[in-house]
Amino acid sequence: MINLILFGPPGSGKGTQAERLVQKYGLVHLSTGSLLRSEIHDKTPLGLEAKNFIDKGQLVPDEIVIGMIDDCLEHHKDANGILLDGFPRTTTQAKALDKLMSMRKSDIDIVLSLEVDEEELIKRILERGRTSGRSDDCDESVIRSRFDVYNKETLPVANYYHEQSKLKPIKGIGSIDEIFGSISKEVDALAADKTEEPLS
Ligand code: B4P
């Protein structure tokens, strides 16, 4: 079983690469961004609250997303590995995740960090905004606020996992196939290591 996190700034390709990882490794995909968009689409009370934050380029409060992930982990407790995409985005979320995993006698194995420069990211997000219908993708000032939030609140999460020796930087510029090749190499190496671990 492999539990991994896809980490990176807005528009770095987490959703794009997650789809391929799910296909290749049969992981359960948990994307807090997609879960929140689906709540917004269904106009649930949680969705209506989340929309206020997302439209401004801010993070949705920790307790809301942590609760969502707790429910999903419970629902998928027999999964053959989890792929977290867009979560955790704060160190409070990262610490809560460690607790949720250890309560289920499990752990995060690897954090793949997609590295892309800001100008490329803005280009990608504006391009996506033309077709996605996402309110947070169309306005450059909202996109810039998402980067400010990322730098202030989310980047420290990379350090949190670096200190646990779980962080693997991945060059996130190039073709989608090339990037997936680099990601697969890391996941295959991890899977090989895990198979060699002696049974306890
Ligand atoms: P997310 O849904 O996580 O959105 P994202 O970070 O913008 O995008 P992603 O990195 O998945 O990019 P994609 O593959 O689509 O979050 C949305 C919002 O929800 C957040 O801003 C926040 O408000 C809220 N939220 C979510 N999780 C939260 C949490 N844990 N806590 C609090 N709030 C939370 O790629 C982007 C574009 O680039 C696509 O159009 C794609 O086609 C293109 N692309 C991908 N790879 C490419 C490549 N190699 N070359 C060229 N283009 C590429």
Side-chain angles (χ1 to χ4, degrees), residues 59 89-90 146-157:
L59 293 181
R89 264 174 153 101
T90 63
R146 287 162 68 192
F147 288 118
D148 289 345
V149 170
Y150 176 80
N151 289 325
K152 221 164 75 200
E153 299 188 47
T154 307
L155 258 186
V157 175

Side-chain angles (χ1 to χ4, degrees), residues 20-58:
R20 296 182 172 222
L21 277 162
V22 165
Q23 266 184 15
K24 180 163 177 184
Y25 298 99
L27 305 170
V28 168
H29 181 198
L30 302 182
S31 155
T32 38
S34 303
L35 290 166
L36 290 167
R37 280 188 289 280
S38 134
E39 298 278 345
I40 292 172
H41 177 266
D42 295 343
K43 298 195 169 63
T44 64
L46 190 158
L48 293 175
E49 190 179 351
K51 190 172 183 332
N52 288 326
F53 296 95
I54 293 180
D55 283 355
K56 293 187 204 124
Q58 295 169 357

Side-chain angles (χ1 to χ4, degrees), residues 9-16 32-33 36-37 54 58-60 65 85-87 89 93 120 124 128 134 136 146 172 174-176 179:
S12 53
K14 301 182 293 288
T16 306
T32 38
L36 290 167
R37 280 188 289 280
I54 293 180
Q58 295 169 357
L59 293 181
V60 173
V65 277
D85 156 8
F87 181 93
R89 264 174 153 101
Q93 292 179 18
E120 165 74 13
R124 285 186 192 177
R128 181 174 66 184
R134 277 178 54 172
D136 57 343
R146 287 162 68 192
S175 73
I176 290 169
I179 298 164

Side-chain angles (χ1 to χ4, degrees), residues 1-4 27 76-82 101 104-107 109 190-191 194:
M1 180 197 271
I2 294 177
N3 296 315
L4 66 87
L27 305 170
H76 294 288
K77 55 178 184 262
D78 299 323
N80 187 29
I82 300 279
M101 297 298 282
R104 292 169 174 93
K105 307 217 179 324
S106 193
D107 201 5
D109 296 299
L190 174 73
K194 288 197 105 179

